[in-house]
Amino acid sequence: MEINVLINKVLKYNNNLDEIIMIKKAYYLAEELHKDQTRQSGEAYITHPLAVAIILSEIEADASTIVAGLLHDIVEDTELTIEEITSIFNSYIALLVDGVTKIEKMNFSSKDEEVAGNTRKLLSGITEDVRIILIKLADRLHNMRTLEFKSRDKQKENAIETLEIFVPIAYHLGCYDIKNELEDLSLKYLNPESYYKISEERKKLEKDATEDLLIMLNKIHNILNENSIPNYIKTRIKNIYGIYKNKKEGKTLTEIHDFLSLKVIVDTINDCYLSLGYIHSLYPPIHGKMKDYISSPKTNMYRSLHTTSFGEGEQLVQVQIKTNEMDKVASLGLTAYWQDEDVIMNDELKTRFQFFKSLVEINQSTGDNQEFLEEIKKDILGNNIYIYSPKGDVIQLPHGSTAVDFAYKINDLVGDNIVAAIVNGNYKEPLTLLKNKDIVKILTDELSSGPKKEWISQCKTPLAKRKILSYYDKSVISED
Ligand code: MN
């Protein structure tokens, strides 16, 4: 790998000569400072920061992020200080390097109060400049790619941490390519037997299905052309970890509805819906598999129409229909939303991405660092379900949440006055368990007797538990 690989990738989306010069300057500085260090693989150390910068260029990160990626291990491993980075480059780049250096020390598994406090500061800091976490993601991805040189224990530890922390972050930032690769690499070290077995099966089924898939691709391409809808179609195969998870649920490869996908890229939202009709006229949809993420985007802003049909053979094929812009957001993630000048998280981005909104909410709602860390792990990094309001707003809740949890997420008044919930059109009791993608309307009554005390143990989120407790505290005081 050489500096030219990086420069050529950056030039694809950035022609600013001053910035290109700055990137080269950072590379040669890093090369010089790391010159006496080697990686465990025996390679020169500079190969690592260079690889990190290349990963960042593939998500079209801005020049400051690339430079900080090249310098990310400098402060930790060499004599150069943050002050010197400020004077050689600028204070923005210094802040990014400083942020990454601090995250280096974070430990999510520790119970230690000081560590929890630092982690809190860091995660809150992420909402200030999300580029720090993008560099950290790229750093982790390259470390996972080169994990074979670590001890067996270290491999397992890193793979678990990657699945628990970095995969959810990559998902929440919408960086699907990074997320998929991190998952596959984690599986490779946690369960090598399954990894290699599925990898072989996947290759074979891909080979068997290719011909049928191309026939389907051409038929769709033609019908859209005949109807004057400009289009471009790509094929996609589910990642190994995704298949592994489906298999654990008892599905065979041919039963996985999105094992094979066609991505149909069109110009406008209108064309998305028109295309869906034409595609269904050729390939009737499987009942219940049609998803409209354009009218109801995922919390990470993923938008697309999904439908599943039998293709030319026996194999199910998922068709994703999206505009160019939607496709860009799905492959670049959050960086697709960056403005040229103002790349720091602005309020609009914070509200667009549920991840940041939740982070800010949890930060405000709890004073205890350990509790903050636990909530972050559960609510944001853990297994979540996504619930739709009738208006199409998406609210993220942990698995096992009830309509009461959902009600308190809306606001205190709705929580305090809930009497029932309409879940997907059906009348349900307040403590009904919610499932991913449920559409939920909360029924309230101002004359209700308030939340029941026993709900505290039955609802899931600390937020709902706390609110019900404080409802009773208040009633006790007012009765006095
Ligand atoms: Mn590193």
Side-chain angles (χ1 to χ4, degrees):
M1 259 189 298
E2 291 189 356
I3 172 75
N4 287 340
V5 177
L6 172 64
I7 299 298
N8 287 334
K9 292 206 181 220
V10 174
L11 282 172
K12 280 187 193 156
Y13 64 93
N14 184 346
N15 289 315
N16 184 320
L17 203 62
D18 290 340
E19 293 190 343
I20 299 293
I21 290 169
M22 181 171 74
I23 291 170
K24 284 190 179 168
K25 186 169 143 191
Y27 173 79
Y28 290 114
L29 177 66
E31 190 183 37
E32 174 62 23
L33 289 166
H34 287 299
K35 72 171 186 289
D36 296 327
Q37 297 158 351
T38 48
R39 299 202 87 212
Q40 261 154 330
S41 62
E43 286 177 296
Y45 197 85
I46 186 66
T47 55
H48 169 63
L50 178 60
V52 168
I54 288 174
I55 292 166
L56 289 166
S57 72
E58 284 162 356
I59 55 168
E60 301 191 4
D62 69 329
S64 300
T65 312
I66 306 268
V67 168
L70 287 166
L71 303 178
H72 81 272
D73 279 331
I74 287 283
V75 178
E76 188 85 356
D77 299 341
T78 79
E79 302 284 299
L80 203 78
T81 63
I82 291 293
E83 290 71 29
E84 286 167 310
I85 293 177
T86 309
S87 64
I88 301 171
F89 296 94
N90 58 53
S91 56
Y92 297 108
I93 289 171
L95 275 175
L96 292 177
V97 175
D98 194 34
V100 179
T101 308
K102 282 177 182 154
I103 288 191
E104 226 40 75
K105 293 167 191 148
M106 87 182 178
N107 183 351
F108 278 87
S109 46
S110 174
K111 290 260 175 289
D112 182 48
E113 176 58 21
E114 195 185 326
V115 174
N118 285 337
T119 310
R120 175 177 203 162
K121 268 184 254 156
L122 282 167
L123 277 173
S124 314
I126 286 164
T127 66
E128 296 308 316
D129 198 331
V130 71
R131 293 176 296 176
I132 293 168
I133 207 73
L134 288 176
I135 297 166
K136 196 58 208 158
L137 268 182
D139 180 42
R140 174 54 61 115
L141 179 54
H142 185 244
N143 285 335
M144 289 299 291
R145 282 179 186 169
T146 51
L147 202 56
E148 56 185 292
F149 303 103
K150 298 268 182 196
S151 70
R152 192 75 194 99
D153 281 351
K154 199 80 196 150
Q155 288 174 344
K156 283 195 171 160
E157 192 187 307
N158 281 358
I160 290 170
E161 197 185 49
T162 298
L163 281 181
E164 282 186 344
I165 295 157
F166 290 92
V167 164
I169 289 177
Y171 171 82
H172 284 293
L173 301 181
C175 304
Y176 281 90
D177 292 344
I178 293 182
K179 174 199 139 278
N180 289 339
E181 193 180 342
L182 284 176
E183 284 180 337
D184 285 359
L185 288 166
S186 301
L187 184 65
K188 185 173 159 186
Y189 291 99
L190 286 175
N191 192 340
E193 206 181 310
S194 296
Y195 173 85
Y196 288 109
K197 192 164 162 259
I198 293 171
S199 165
E200 284 308 308
E201 287 175 335
R202 179 178 181 263
K203 255 185 245 160
K204 189 177 175 301
L205 191 56
E206 181 190 2
K207 209 173 136 228
D208 294 348
T210 300
E211 203 177 312
D212 285 343
L213 196 63
L214 289 179
I215 295 173
M216 184 176 181
L217 187 153
N218 280 319
K219 282 192 184 171
I220 293 176
H221 185 61
N222 290 339
I223 198 170
L224 297 183
N225 282 347
E226 282 159 22
N227 290 283
S228 313
I229 299 173
N231 67 93
Y232 167 64
I233 309 179
K234 299 188 263 191
T235 59
R236 167 209 152 276
I237 299 170
K238 200 172 186 65
N239 71 337
I240 297 172
Y241 185 78
I243 298 169
Y244 169 78
K245 272 201 306 196
N246 273 279
K247 287 188 99 175
K248 266 177 69 174
E249 288 166 15
K251 287 183 195 161
T252 65
L253 243 53
T254 44
E255 284 168 346
I256 300 174
H257 78 279
D258 59 349
F259 174 72
L260 296 171
S261 302
L262 288 177
K263 259 202 239 178
V264 180
I265 317 283
V266 296
D267 289 343
T268 64
I269 290 181
N270 224 352
D271 282 354
C272 290
Y273 289 102
L274 286 173
S275 304
L276 182 70
Y278 291 119
I279 291 165
H280 281 169
S281 75
L282 294 175
Y283 302 98
I286 302 286
H287 179 71
K289 286 293 176 199
M290 160 69 211
K291 294 272 156 55
D292 182 350
Y293 296 118
I294 293 180
S295 63
S296 301
K298 292 191 186 185
T299 47
N300 62 6
M301 297 306 294
Y302 176 85
R303 295 201 298 163
S304 180
L305 298 176
H306 286 187
T307 186
T308 304
S309 319
F310 283 104
E312 292 294 318
E314 293 293 286
Q315 179 64 44
L316 288 169
V317 180
Q318 181 194 56
V319 182
Q320 306 177 356
I321 309 163
K322 52 190 93 178
T323 64
N324 250 314
E325 197 216 325
M326 293 172 196
D327 187 47
K328 202 170 169 190
V329 171
S331 50
L332 305 184
L334 182 88
T335 53
Y337 285 104
W338 285 354
Q339 312 290 314
D340 281 359
E341 296 294 311
D342 186 17
V343 282
I344 293 171
M345 282 300 282
N346 57 34
D347 286 342
E348 195 209 337
L349 276 186
K350 279 187 203 167
T351 42
R352 268 180 133 159
F353 285 83
Q354 183 75 26
F355 169 65
F356 296 105
K357 222 162 100 187
S358 306
L359 207 56
V360 173
E361 277 168 13
I362 292 173
N363 195 20
Q364 285 165 349
S365 71
T366 173
D368 178 60
N369 288 333
Q370 201 61 55
E371 190 186 318
F372 171 80
L373 198 55
E374 287 306 311
E375 284 201 38
I376 289 286
K377 275 169 115 174
K378 269 208 303 275
D379 272 25
I380 296 186
L381 305 176
N383 259 345
N384 297 307
I385 55 173
Y386 299 94
I387 305 299
Y388 290 95
S389 78
K391 277 185 284 175
D393 294 332
V394 190
I395 290 190
Q396 177 183 290
L397 288 166
H399 256 289
S401 290
T402 66
V404 175
D405 295 292
F406 179 71
Y408 277 108
K409 269 269 177 177
I410 299 173
N411 69 48
D412 294 2
L413 217 60
V414 175
D416 287 347
N417 293 322
I418 180 172
V419 288
I422 305 291
V423 180
N424 306 324
N426 301 310
Y427 186 92
K428 299 280 182 187
E429 296 300 319
L431 282 176
T432 187
L433 280 180
L434 300 179
K435 291 189 311 302
N436 200 23
K437 311 273 169 59
D438 277 344
I439 300 169
V440 180
K441 182 174 166 52
I442 301 295
L443 302 181
T444 57
D445 183 349
E446 276 173 52
L447 301 175
S448 84
S449 48
K452 296 201 171 62
K453 224 173 193 165
E454 60 264 31
W455 290 359
I456 295 172
S457 61
Q458 285 162 285
C459 57
K460 178 82 183 173
T461 54
L463 173 79
K465 291 176 193 287
R466 214 168 31 237
K467 293 294 179 187
I468 299 172
L469 259 176
S470 78
Y471 174 88
Y472 279 98
D473 278 354
K474 261 183 282 174
S475 349
V476 171
I477 292 163
S478 61
E479 275 161 24
D480 276 347

